[in-house]
């Protein structure tokens, strides 16, 4: 039970999203930041308050980061299906002898 919960947390923390998810993240961030910037400018201009404009911009940017930065599961709806490896497997890497200051390592 606990292992399954840890696996789910690990999947979210690893940040696996597919190519369609990347495209969606880019679209969401561009649209959200454009709207937030325009809204902050308009409200700041109408109210003549630069502090309010900056607070709106920072809040909107933080909200956009919260939506786009974590690898939410809906960003991985179309996972890439990799091809199986064909042919003989590569031989395991051999150990190499390394000589440093006339001493052999490895």
């Amino acid at each position: 039970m606990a292992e399954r919960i840890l696996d789910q947390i690990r999947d979210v923390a690893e940040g696996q999203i597919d190519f369609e998810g990347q495209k969606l993240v880019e679209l969401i961030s561009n649209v959200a930041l454009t709207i937030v910037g325009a809204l902050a400018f308009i409200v700041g201009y109408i109210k003549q308050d630069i502090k309010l404009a900056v607070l709106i911009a920072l809040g909107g940017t933080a909200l956009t980061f919260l939506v786009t930065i974590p690898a939410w599961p809906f960003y991985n709806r179309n996972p890439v299906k990799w091809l199986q490896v064909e042919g003989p497997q590569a031989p395991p890497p051999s150990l190499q002898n390394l000589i440093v200051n006339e001493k052999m390592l490895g």
Side-chain angles (χ1 to χ4, degrees), residues 26-75:
E26 184 178 2
L27 178 67
I28 290 172
S29 64
N30 285 336
V31 169
L33 290 175
T34 301
I35 290 172
V36 165
L39 182 67
F41 177 78
I42 292 169
V43 170
Y45 183 77
I46 291 172
K47 296 282 189 175
Q48 290 293 302
D49 189 359
I50 188 72
K51 182 179 177 183
L52 180 61
V54 170
L55 288 176
I56 291 171
L58 289 176
T61 302
L63 183 64
T64 302
F65 284 173
L66 183 65
V67 171
T68 58
I69 297 298
W72 299 108
F74 62 89
Y75 292 141

